[in-house]
Structure formats: structure tokens, C-alpha cells
């Protein structure tokens, strides 16, 4: 296979977005804090997980025999574009799907963004790397005043410094993130109001809304020399309509993390689960669920409803743009799960969650 300059930088930034092998020039301050069951003084780790893939395995994934990358359309525009209200007061929740892992959650007079990503590329480079195949479901100019942003981890498709800087300049929201990612944010822009927390820490957001950071089967890095120097997490968002479990990036593994959330935080009103960027399985299974595993996670969690995400925006892996949704429908049918219990929505669509039924 001929490796051109464009392909080289595309590979570098693509792997950066997905597994944290990026620009050799990147450096950041390292987190320092007390030892714990998931921090050894230098790196974070998942006691119930497995280490990330080696550089040799990354190269095999990208250049090894049998790699068949499905073609995505250059542009796959959504039929929807949301213009959210200024606020949603009371006990109901309004969720709008921005795309990939980005959501706007409105409840109790608060506007909360999840993994805000409005950039055209999920990459350390402006000229190469995974690019958007559709516009964000809400234009940046149509956003209401943002009070809080929740950022799950440091990979480029989730922690987008350009978007965080723009949000800080326009709204100055609190930015809640796992330990160490605050250093990345403030090193880039000291106006970002980053607050870092550990797993299992509850954080009051105001108006009866709170969030708890919980373990997830993943890892993080932004450079060659900072692998797992920051923490990663999923979010349990406590709202007047019930608890919403937001899994921005995760493998399934043995399902222990999902069963623990069901036990410790259930009952869940809603689960938002990733279903994309999963092929080839020998490489991706430790960090990203496929749709069948997402269905199993739904069964483990027992929420009233689930909604899929992390598909159809950036081509990070080899499956086609529509494959995750088709595979989800097939997996749901095999497990006799009604469509209403695990239903996909388009970028720019919104859903309302009525007040708690428990």
C-alpha cells in the first residue's frame, strides 16, 4: 500500500481521535494526586478492564492484510436541525442530539452540553484527520445560554478544545470532567472553567440536578507520552424526570460496569449508549461496543428507554455509515426488544422525557 503524505497525516490524526496516538509535538501537564485503586501515581487504569492496544497492533490495524474500509458518502446531511428553547423549566427533560457523542440536555432551568464537539475535524490537525459528514444538529449560534458542559475524556472526538474555548468565550459554563483533563483544557485556554473529579464523585449542578462520574471500559491520551495520564468516565445525570446514564465511549467487556450502574444508580429513566466505531472487532472490542453489545448493556441496565449515539458523524473505523443502525435493529429484534425501548433519533432531533414515573 502506497503511503502518501496525506495518508500519513490522515492516519496519524485518525488514530489520535480514536485511540490517542497523535502529534509527536503534543505535551501537557500531568495529573498528580493520591494513589487509588485506579491510579498508580503516574497513570490511571481500569481494575476491571484491559490495557489499550500496543503501537504494533495499531499499525497492524491500519496497514495489515484484509483491511476493508467501507466508503462513506462525502456528506450525509440530516433532515433535522434543532432550535432549542432558551430554557426548559420544571421537572421535564428535553434532549437534543447534536451528533456523535454531543447532546444538549435541558431541565430545571439548566442547559447542559455533553462532550460538545462543533469542529469540522476530530483531530489535532486542521488539515487532516476524521472530518464531519454532517452538520451539528444545532448550529453553534442557535445554542441557548450554556450553564454546564460534561466532558468524558481526552480523545479528540470528545474533548474538543476549540469548541470549549468558543463556549467559554460566549457563555463561560462550568466544565465538569474526570481528573487530569482540566489540565489539558486550561493549558490551551485558561478561560475554560474546568473542574476535575474522580470516579464515583457526585457533583451538584443546581436546581435539583446532579451528576456522578462512573467507571467505563475505555482509556485516553492526546499525545505519544500521556497515555492514561488523565481519567475517563461516563455520567449518571440525576434529574427531576429520573436518572439518565450517558455512556460517551465504552467497550462492553464482561458487562460489569453496566451491572454496577444498574445496582448502584437504578432505576434508570434513560440510557444513552454508543453503538458505532466497532470494526474490526479484534482491535476495537476493548474500547467500543458493537450494536449487539449495546443491546446487552440495555438489558443489563434495565432503563425505561435507551437511545443510541456515537455513529454516523466521523468515520473512525471500517464499518459503513449506516451499519450501526441496521445492526442495532437486527440485534434488538433478536432479543425481542420493542423499537420504542431502544430507538434511534436523527442529528437535530429532540425528545422529551416526562417527569419521573417511579
Amino acid at each position: 500500500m502506497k503511503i502518501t503524505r496525506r495518508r500519513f497525516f490522515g492516519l496519524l490524526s485518525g488514530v489520535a481521535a480514536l485511540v490517542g496516538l497523535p502529534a509527536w509535538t503534543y505535551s501537557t501537564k500531568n495529573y498528580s494526586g493520591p494513589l487509588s485503586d485506579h491510579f498508580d501515581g503516574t497513570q490511571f487504569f481500569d481494575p476491571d478492564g484491559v490495557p489499550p492496544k500496543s503501537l504494533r497492533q495499531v499499525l497492524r490495524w491500519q496497514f495489515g492484510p484484509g483491511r476493508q474500509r467501507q466508503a462513506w458518502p462525502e456528506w450525509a446531511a440530516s433532515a433535522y436541525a434543532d432550535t432549542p428553547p432558551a430554557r426548559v423549566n420544571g421537572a421535564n427533560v428535553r434532549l437534543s442530539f447534536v451528533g456523535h457523542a454531543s447532546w444538549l440536555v435541558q431541565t430545571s432551568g439548566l442547559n447542559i452540553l455533553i462532550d460538545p464537539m462543533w469542529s469540522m475535524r476530530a483531530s489535532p490537525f486542521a488539515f487532516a484527520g476524521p472530518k464531519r459528514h454532517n452538520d451539528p444538529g444545532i448550529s453553534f449560534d442557535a445554542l441557548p445560554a450554556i450553564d454546564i458542559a460534561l466532558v468524558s475524556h481526552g480523545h479528540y472526538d470528545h474533548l474538543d478544545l476549540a469548541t470549549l474555548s468558543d463556549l467559554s468565550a460566549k457563555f463561560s459554563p462550568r466544565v465538569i470532567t474526570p481528573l487530569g483533563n482540566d489540565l489539558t483544557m486550561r493549558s490551551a485556554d485558561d478561560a475554560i472553567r474546568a473542574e476535575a473529579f474522580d470516579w464515583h464523585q457526585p457533583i451538584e449542578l443546581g436546581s435539583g440536578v446532579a451528576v456522578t462520574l462512573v467507571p467505563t471500559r475505555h482509556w485516553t491520551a492526546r499525545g505519544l507520552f500521556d497515555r492514561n495520564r488523565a481519567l475517563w468516565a461516563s455520567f449518571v445525570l440525576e434529574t427531576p424526570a429520573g436518572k439518565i446514564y450517558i455512556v460517551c465511549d465504552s467497550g462492553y467487556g464482561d458487562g460489569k460496569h453496566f451491572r454496577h450502574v444498574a445496582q448502584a444508580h437504578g432505576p434508570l429513566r434513560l440510557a444513552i449508549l454508543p453503538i458505532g466505531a466497532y470494526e474490526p472487532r479484534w482491535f476495537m472490542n476493548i474500547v467500543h461496543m458493537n450494536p449487539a453489545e449495546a443491546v446487552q448493556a440495555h438489558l443489563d441496565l434495565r432503563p425505561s428507554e435507551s437511545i443510541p449515539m456515537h455513529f454516523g458523524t466521523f468515520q473512525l473505523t471500517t464499518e459503513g455509515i449506516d451499519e450501526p443502525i441496521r445492526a442495532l435493529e437486527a440485534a434488538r429484534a433478536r432479543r425481542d426488544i420493542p423499537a420504542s425501548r431502544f430507538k434511534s433519533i436523527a442529528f437535530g432531533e429532540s425528545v422529551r422525557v416526562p417527569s419521573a414515573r417511579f
Side-chain angles (χ1 to χ4, degrees):
M1 177 185 298
K2 184 179 178 181
I3 303 177
T4 63
R5 181 178 181 272
R6 175 178 288 274
R7 177 168 174 74
F8 171 73
F9 281 107
L11 162 65
L12 198 61
S13 52
V15 177
L18 190 60
V19 295
L21 176 72
W24 51 86
T25 57
Y26 181 80
S27 62
T28 187
K29 296 178 181 178
N30 292 330
Y31 169 81
S32 61
L35 303 183
S36 71
D37 66 350
H38 55 279
F39 181 64
D40 63 10
T42 302
Q43 291 183 309
F44 292 93
F45 59 94
D46 181 355
D48 299 308
V50 294
K53 298 295 187 182
S54 67
L55 175 57
R56 182 176 181 179
Q57 290 170 311
V58 170
L59 294 175
R60 176 191 162 198
W61 165 50
Q62 284 292 317
F63 299 113
R67 182 176 185 269
Q68 294 183 334
R69 183 180 174 92
Q70 299 297 313
W72 282 32
E74 183 66 22
W75 197 249
S78 174
Y80 299 87
D82 190 27
T83 302
R87 301 280 175 184
V88 172
N89 295 306
N92 293 335
V93 176
R94 185 183 192 272
L95 298 101
S96 179
F97 193 11
V98 178
H100 196 55
S102 301
W103 292 80
L104 172 65
V105 182
Q106 298 180 280
T107 186
S108 299
L110 293 177
N111 294 326
I112 303 167
L113 283 176
I114 313 298
D115 278 0
M117 172 50 153
W118 265 258
S119 290
M120 281 302 297
R121 291 190 186 270
S123 170
F125 305 113
F127 59 88
K131 63 180 179 179
R132 301 192 78 98
H133 288 261
N134 31 65
D135 286 321
I138 307 171
S139 73
F140 192 85
D141 290 340
L143 282 172
I146 301 301
D147 304 296
I148 295 145
L150 307 180
V151 178
S152 63
H153 67 293
H155 286 158
Y156 286 86
D157 55 325
H158 295 262
L159 194 167
D160 181 40
L161 289 170
T163 296
L164 291 173
S165 288
D166 289 345
L167 289 169
S168 295
K170 190 170 184 179
F171 305 118
S172 191
R174 294 176 68 187
V175 180
I176 307 298
T177 192
L179 296 172
N181 296 290
D182 57 321
L183 303 176
T184 299
M185 297 175 192
R186 287 197 295 268
S187 293
D189 184 349
D190 60 11
I192 298 173
R193 295 173 53 207
E195 305 173 31
F197 298 90
D198 204 352
W199 285 345
H200 307 298
Q201 279 193 267
I203 303 105
E204 294 293 331
L205 303 180
S207 303
V209 179
V211 65
T212 301
L213 280 62
V214 294
T216 196
R217 189 181 176 90
H218 205 60
W219 68 293
T220 194
R222 290 178 76 82
L224 286 173
F225 307 110
D226 68 340
R227 177 176 286 200
N228 289 353
R229 298 295 178 90
L231 189 58
W232 55 96
S234 293
F235 303 112
V236 177
L237 188 63
E238 188 169 351
T239 78
K243 292 181 180 178
I244 302 173
Y245 179 37
I246 306 161
V247 185
C248 298
D249 235 348
S250 183
Y252 180 78
D254 62 2
K256 182 174 182 179
H257 289 320
F258 299 103
R259 292 191 296 273
H260 176 79
V261 166
Q263 294 163 4
H265 298 281
L268 299 172
R269 182 66 181 84
L270 178 68
I272 302 178
L273 301 174
I275 64 166
Y278 55 83
E279 291 289 356
R281 291 312 289 150
W282 73 265
F283 188 83
M284 299 310 307
N285 70 314
I286 65 171
V287 291
H288 288 161
M289 293 190 288
N290 64 18
E293 290 168 328
V295 165
Q296 183 58 56
H298 167 86
L299 293 171
D300 294 340
L301 292 163
R302 304 184 302 278
S304 297
E305 303 168 50
S306 290
I307 300 175
M309 68 168 174
H310 203 276
F311 63 90
T313 304
F314 300 101
Q315 187 173 16
L316 302 175
T317 51
T318 57
E319 75 270 7
I321 191 170
D322 296 326
E323 284 185 36
I325 293 298
R326 291 200 304 267
L328 175 65
E329 292 171 353
R332 192 181 59 213
R334 286 195 299 271
R335 305 301 293 271
D336 294 323
I337 298 171
S340 60
R341 294 288 306 280
F342 200 156
K343 183 179 180 181
S344 62
I345 66 172
F347 312 137
E349 274 196 291
S350 65
V351 295
R352 289 186 178 270
V353 181
S355 57
R357 296 184 298 206
F358 304 116

